[in-house]
Amino acid sequence: MQIIVSKNYIELCNKVANFIVDEIKELSAPLLCFAGGDTPTGVYKNLVKLDQSGRGVFNQANFVGLDEWVGLNDEDSGSCRFTLNRDLYRPLNIKESKIHFFEGKGNDYSKQCEQLNNFIENNGPINLALLGIGVNGHIGFNEPGSSLESVARLVSLDEITQNVGQKYFETEQKLTQGITLGLKQILETGVIILIASGLKKKPIIKELLTNKSFNPSVPVSSLWKHSNCHLFVDEEAFS
Ligand code: PGA
């Protein structure tokens, strides 16, 4: 795992966006996976600026969703899809046919997961993923205890995830379940970019960097098994 420490969030977002463009500019039709959440939003602003300045690196790309809250979809402010539509897909003019995402208001989650698993099986592996890190160490909704062999599935959310997740919404939500890509699909991804910013992420980053091996109760630590993983942190999050 390569560790890149930035002075602050602004510098981190700049570096990550440039890194992403450099990684994908030579790929003809990359399959990309971008996380929702608060931390990536500054990266997306920079990616949109880079794209507008004529790089056009996203023209041929396909996108897979990382996760979604069960019960919420693109119409719900604060959902993963809503955030990505607002910050990335719409500003980049990505066609709907290029986006392969979970529908959180669906009723057949196992079918949805099977379809996404088949899509990745046939079109993957994912070339590049940008992932945030939960304060409980989750990546996507791979909560503590997730298996390294897991693929897309419906999961019960950890209590910490349910509580912290309220920050994305104006009114209190029932956030007991989620749909997520699995650790297997994340570990098979070509390039992984992990990002963490701010003091609230300091304990989990310390945990990740202290025990440099896989601990099932800290899902992000599975990325010690990945050979092309880059952790971008700011000084506040870095111990
Ligand atoms: P955040 O979420 O970027 O909003 O902190 C990270 C996560 O929980 O995966």
Side-chain angles (χ1 to χ4, degrees):
M1 188 179 297
Q2 184 196 14
I3 299 156
I4 304 103
V5 183
S6 298
K7 232 184 200 29
N8 53 36
Y9 179 68
I10 294 174
E11 187 182 302
L12 180 150
C13 292
N14 246 311
K15 279 190 195 164
V16 173
N18 282 298
F19 184 89
I20 290 171
V21 168
D22 275 351
E23 284 292 327
I24 63 176
K25 67 183 177 206
E26 308 297 345
L27 302 175
S28 58
L31 183 59
L32 307 173
C33 178
F34 288 115
D38 287 338
T39 319
T41 55
V43 175
Y44 300 149
K45 282 203 180 83
N46 284 294
L47 284 179
V48 170
K49 270 194 225 145
L50 288 174
D51 194 63
Q52 282 165 350
S53 68
R55 309 282 178 105
V57 288
F58 297 103
N59 291 350
Q60 304 300 322
N62 270 281
F63 298 81
V64 284
L66 174 66
D67 54 6
E68 186 56 281
W69 308 96
V70 161
L72 302 175
N73 68 8
D74 60 339
E75 291 169 1
D76 298 297
S77 173
S79 71
C80 301
R81 180 63 195 267
F82 181 95
T83 308
L84 282 160
N85 275 354
R86 183 194 61 201
D87 294 343
L88 193 71
Y89 301 148
R90 297 242 164 93
L92 289 178
N93 287 317
I94 306 297
K95 287 196 194 105
E96 193 61 34
S97 61
K98 300 265 192 181
I99 304 170
H100 309 270
F101 215 92
F102 298 109
E103 166 53 59
K105 279 202 174 102
N107 46 25
D108 193 343
Y109 297 112
S110 53
K111 189 164 171 209
Q112 276 193 51
C113 291
E114 194 184 317
Q115 281 168 349
L116 204 62
N117 286 332
N118 287 340
F119 178 80
I120 294 174
E121 193 76 30
N122 296 328
N123 300 279
I126 297 165
N127 294 103
L128 178 143
L130 173 66
L131 308 174
I133 305 171
V135 291
N136 61 352
H138 77 188
I139 41 175
F141 284 145
N142 292 286
E143 302 290 1
S146 295
S147 157
L148 292 175
E149 294 304 314
S150 56
V151 290
R153 68 207 186 283
L154 178 69
V155 296
S156 296
L157 296 172
D158 187 57
E159 214 174 304
I160 295 175
T161 301
Q162 295 186 35
N163 293 332
V164 174
Q166 297 297 336
K167 71 174 174 159
Y168 303 118
F169 306 98
E170 276 170 17
T171 54
E172 196 172 328
Q173 302 288 324
K174 185 170 168 263
L175 302 174
T176 50
Q177 289 184 300
I179 334 171
T180 184
L181 292 189
L183 290 181
K184 181 167 189 277
Q185 289 151 326
I186 291 174
L187 287 169
E188 285 171 357
T189 295
V191 183
I192 300 276
I193 301 161
L194 285 174
I195 51 172
S197 162
L199 288 174
K200 63 184 186 306
K201 296 291 168 71
K202 191 170 170 162
I204 190 64
I205 295 301
K206 185 171 181 199
E207 167 77 33
L208 174 67
L209 298 181
T210 305
N211 305 304
K212 296 185 169 63
S213 61
F214 176 52
N215 169 358
S217 61
V218 184
V220 66
S221 66
S222 61
L223 292 167
W224 285 112
K225 293 180 172 291
H226 196 280
S227 58
N228 199 354
C229 177
H230 309 266
L231 171 67
F232 288 81
V233 282
D234 61 13
E235 282 178 4
E236 282 192 345
F238 188 64
S239 309

